[in-house]
């Protein structure tokens, strides 16, 4: 067994995590370099290798599994700075992307502008062709029209083409032939077919998913191939894997077949990390995973040992269509800037200081106060402990920024202003957690919170108290939680088949079983080609359906066992229960109208159990004391400071206390208790 490496590019830091085959691990954070992302990776690998006492070449040679998550795809969509692309669609349907479903993000806002199109109307070209809903050819494909369209695309410098025809999910022959012709006319241009990217009904979502894939394909394609080449040149014996939005990873080749899977892929690793660490908590199958980094605050959930997934994820107001880990992200990180609005009300975020110039305390020219400045100004962080001492923070600059921009204009002391900044950012984050739990009919008090990110440990206890969550787990690798999750995530391929039927029909079980047999054979064959043994392969089956006459769909897992009439009755019961939980009612006298049948095919070699890289002799003793602000009592109190690496498994602390690690700091409020787990994680028991 070799080492595992996870690399996560964030808005502020690039995290590199090494999980050795003996269970020890290292976390290294390097400033992100948005214009040259490979530069941050090579620097991070160099720093990690030095910290681990080896060289980059030796580290990569001994690595069995390397997974990389990136933000380039998401950033390109949000900033709309991608290449010129074209769309080929069925004649008469080139405005599908403009019309969508007829609504808008804020339905009562009459001043809301329509989002800018990813492809202008003059590059959305209709092709004479038509496949019927039954798969019959109503109108033959006009190949000359395709060649004319391709020449027009070439004249406008199009770098990628999306092909989305009506009912190609029933018969994809027109799309396949179109792709062949476009590739003949425009060599080197990426061509994506909707029947490959998202073979599902609903034209807007399917077209959107294909268009977004085309928009990001040239960007991430060049980058990922360069990354793959760089790792191979460095000595990596196997091709790297790339993190996907579905919570698993895939090869560069597989990802580029459906580039939209690269969107929002970094935070999707959170559930894998949480599940790896939380086995000894009170509810290992029910987790709220938070990640508070430098730029954003991400929250997702693990329910019944499975990450909460959704096919309704949108980026830049457009649906990505594919099934993905449901992650809510808001602008609330350590670098989030505090500011006063026109009414002199204090706000925090969503603007971030990023890594350049960073918060004022970085001393890199930043003038605006950030959340990190507030934590430092009130004693919750040490100026010399940040990044293990590699970077010294300036308390003076932090206090000056808070005084100039917040405290003086409001007539407050610096401590009062800093406490206000922390209160507001905590309120913003708590609202995000409520949005994915309470507003979905889930009681967070039944869950364990897993807190990651460099700033997660500073705020986790206070968020838990606001939501009445009794246990908080802060992993030893919290500063690189998602990068660690990438190192332990499985390889995953998702497959979907449209098969319309009703669960009360006599032949339903037989036809459904045939669909799954074909999907499982396809997924199993793919994973075996990638070197996975039968015992390392798992299949998860899901149904996407609705009550007859409904518009919106609901996805539920299939019960275990062979597909027969009894299983369909259990499936109906599960569907009714989930519908009632989500929407407060069910229609138990109705059958289920079934649309899409899905499998997630995963290949997973068990990761080594994490353990402390160093073992101390026990006996937790503070290294110093200072006054620090504790939100639990809204006051500065005398607080004991502990060096995290000196703590041993089984050590217990009672707050007020602060535990400082190289990549995160844990705040223990008065009367809360911290217990060090066997793997070095900090388990907080909140005094509710």
């Amino acid at each position: 067994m070799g080492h595992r490496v996870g690399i996560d590019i964030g808005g502020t830091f690039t995290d590199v995590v090494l999980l050795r085959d003996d269970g020890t691990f290292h976390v290294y954070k390097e400033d992100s370099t948005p214009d040259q992302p490979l530069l941050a990776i090579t620097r991070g690998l160099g720093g990690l290798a030095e910290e681990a006492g080896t060289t980059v070449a030796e580290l990569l040679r001994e690595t069995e599994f390397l997974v990389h998550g990136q933000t380039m795809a998401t950033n390109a969509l949000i900033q709309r700075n991608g290449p010129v692309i074209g769309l080929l669609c069925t004649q008469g349907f080139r405005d599908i992307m403009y019309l969508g479903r007829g609504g808008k993000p804020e339905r009562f806002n009459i001043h809301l502008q329509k989002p800018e199109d990813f492809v202008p109307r003059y590059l959305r070209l209709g092709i004479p062709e038509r496949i019927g809903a039954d798969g019959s050819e109503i109108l033959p494909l006009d190949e000359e029209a395709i060649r004319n369209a391709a020449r027009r695309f070439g004249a406008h410098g199009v770098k990628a083409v999306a092909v989305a025809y009506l009912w190609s999910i029933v018969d994809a022959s027109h799309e396949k032939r179109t792709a062949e012709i476009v590739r003949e006319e425009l060599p080197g241009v990426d061509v994506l077919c909707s029947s490959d990217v998202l073979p599902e009904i609903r034209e807007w979502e399917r077209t959107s998913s294909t268009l977004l894939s085309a928009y990001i394909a040239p960007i991430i394609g060049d980058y990922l191939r360069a990354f793959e080449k760089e790792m191979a040149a460095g000595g990596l014996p196997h091709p790297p894997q790339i993190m996907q939005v579905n919570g698993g990873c895939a090869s560069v080749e597989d990802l580029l077949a459906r580039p939209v899977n690269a969107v929002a892929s970094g935070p999707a690793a959170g559930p894998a990390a949480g599940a790896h660490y939380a086995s000894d908590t009170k509810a290992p199958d029910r987790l709220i995973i938070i990640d508070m980094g430098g730029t954003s605050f991400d929250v997702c959930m693990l329910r019944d040992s499975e990450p909460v997934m959704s096919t309704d994820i949108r980026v830049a107001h457009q649906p990505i269509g594919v099934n993905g880990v449901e992650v809510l992200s808001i602008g609330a990180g350590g670098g989030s800037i505090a500011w006063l609005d026109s009414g002199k009300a204090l706000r925090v975020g969503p603007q971030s200081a990023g890594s350049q110039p960073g918060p004022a305390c970085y001393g890199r020219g930043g003038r605006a106060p950030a959340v990190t400045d507030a934590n430092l100004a009130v004693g919750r962080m040490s100026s010399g402990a940040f990044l293990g001492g590699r970077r010294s923070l300036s308390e003076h600059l932090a206090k000056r920024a808070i005084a100039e921009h917040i405290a003086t204009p409001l007539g407050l002391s610096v401590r009062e202003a800093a406490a206000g900044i922390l209160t507001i950012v905590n309120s913003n984050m708590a609202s995000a957690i409520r949005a994915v739990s309470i507003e979905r009919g889930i009681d967070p008090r039944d869950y364990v919170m897993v807190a990651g990110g460099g700033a997660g440990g500073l705020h986790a206890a206070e968020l838990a108290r606001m939501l009445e969550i009794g246990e908080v787990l802060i992993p030893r690798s919290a500063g690189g939680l998602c990068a660690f999750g990438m190192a332990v995530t499985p390889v995953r391929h998702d497959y979907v088949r449209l098969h319309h039927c009703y669960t009360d029909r006599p032949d339903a079980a037989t036809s459904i079983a045939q669909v799954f047999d074909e999907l499982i054979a396809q997924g199993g064959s793919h994973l075996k080609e990638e070197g996975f043994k039968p015992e390392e392969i798992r299949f998860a089956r899901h149904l996407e359906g609705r009550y007859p006459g409904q518009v919106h769909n609901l996805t539920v897992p299939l019960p275990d066992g062979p597909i027969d009439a009894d299983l369909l009755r259990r499936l109906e019961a599960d569907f009714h229960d989930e519908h009632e939980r989500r929407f407060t009612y069910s229609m138990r006298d109705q059958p289920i109208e079934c649309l899409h049948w899905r499998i997630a095919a995963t290949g997973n070699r068990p990761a080594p159990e994490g353990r402390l890289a160093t073992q101390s002799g026990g006996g937790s003793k503070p290294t110093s004391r200072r006054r620090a602000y504790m939100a639990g009592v809204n006051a500065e109190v005398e607080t004991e400071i502990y060096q995290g690496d000196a703590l041993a498994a089984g050590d217990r602390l009672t707050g007020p206390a602060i535990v400082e690690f190289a990549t995160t700091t844990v705040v223990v409020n008065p009367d809360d208790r911290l217990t060090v787990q066997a793997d070095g994680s900090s388990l907080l028991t909140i005094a509710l």
Side-chain angles (χ1 to χ4, degrees), residues 39-378:
L39 179 61
I41 292 175
T42 54
R43 287 175 177 173
L45 284 170
L48 180 72
E50 182 179 353
E51 188 177 279
T54 184
T55 64
V56 173
E58 186 177 349
L59 171 66
L60 290 178
R61 276 198 304 270
E62 296 177 354
T63 296
E64 175 189 44
F65 192 62
L66 186 148
V67 183
H68 174 32
Q70 45 71 45
T71 57
M72 297 180 66
T74 307
N75 292 343
L77 296 180
I78 292 174
Q79 298 169 12
R80 296 177 186 264
N81 59 0
V84 178
I85 65 171
L87 170 67
L88 295 180
C89 57
T90 301
Q91 190 174 53
F93 290 85
R94 69 173 178 168
D95 291 320
I96 283 175
M97 289 301 297
Y98 180 83
L99 297 172
R101 291 200 168 278
K104 54 185 180 179
E106 301 172 29
R107 66 177 64 185
F108 300 114
N109 183 353
I110 62 173
H111 301 291
L112 187 68
Q113 296 296 312
K114 186 78 174 177
E116 181 184 348
D117 292 323
F118 282 99
V119 54
R121 195 169 192 265
Y122 67 86
L123 293 178
R124 303 197 302 260
L125 305 181
I127 300 297
E129 68 83 37
R130 189 66 180 264
I131 296 292
D134 60 354
S136 61
E137 185 178 65
I138 298 174
L139 182 66
L141 181 67
D142 188 335
E143 296 193 0
E144 187 58 32
I146 299 169
R147 297 190 187 277
N148 291 335
R151 296 185 191 109
R152 181 171 181 177
F153 287 157
H156 287 280
V158 165
K159 300 300 182 184
V161 176
V163 183
Y165 292 154
L166 293 181
W167 292 108
S168 60
I169 50 177
V170 180
D171 181 350
S173 59
H174 282 190
E175 283 195 354
K176 301 299 184 186
R177 179 56 184 151
T178 298
E180 292 174 357
I181 295 172
V182 173
R183 291 187 180 109
E184 290 173 7
E185 296 288 335
L186 300 174
V189 168
D190 292 299
V191 184
L192 284 303
C193 295
S194 72
S195 52
D196 294 326
V197 175
L198 190 70
E200 301 181 16
I201 61 171
R202 296 193 171 179
E203 292 305 312
W204 180 47
E205 287 82 354
R206 185 159 56 85
T207 304
S208 174
S209 184
T210 312
L211 264 181
L212 298 185
S213 290
Y215 194 76
I216 62 179
I219 300 172
I220 66 169
D222 291 343
Y223 167 72
L224 292 180
R225 292 186 186 99
F227 170 74
E228 190 174 39
K229 185 177 180 180
E230 181 85 9
M231 294 300 100
L236 186 68
H238 307 288
Q241 299 285 315
I242 309 302
M243 193 66 202
Q244 302 180 101
V245 69
N246 62 16
C249 58
S251 67
V252 171
E253 181 183 358
D254 285 334
L255 182 77
L256 292 181
R258 301 172 75 187
V260 73
N261 271 327
V263 175
S265 65
H276 184 86
Y277 279 111
S279 59
D280 292 331
T281 61
K282 70 174 185 179
D285 59 337
R286 298 191 305 276
L287 305 176
I288 295 175
I289 301 106
I290 66 170
D291 190 322
M292 185 181 181
T295 303
S296 65
F297 173 80
D298 304 320
V299 55
C300 56
M301 299 188 68
L302 192 83
R303 187 161 66 92
D304 298 329
S305 300
E306 295 290 336
V308 175
M309 309 287 285
S310 174
T311 57
D312 295 325
I313 299 171
R314 297 191 184 188
V315 175
H317 306 295
Q318 298 295 333
I320 68 172
V322 296
N323 199 26
V325 176
E326 193 169 44
V327 180
L328 177 60
S329 298
I330 64 171
S336 294
I337 294 172
W339 53 286
L340 301 179
D341 66 16
S342 58
K344 285 196 172 183
L346 177 59
R347 305 292 186 90
V348 179
Q351 302 90 346
S352 173
S355 58
Q356 296 289 343
C361 62
Y362 281 17
R364 294 179 170 179
R367 304 284 296 182
V371 173
T372 297
D373 295 310
N375 277 307
L376 182 64
V378 293

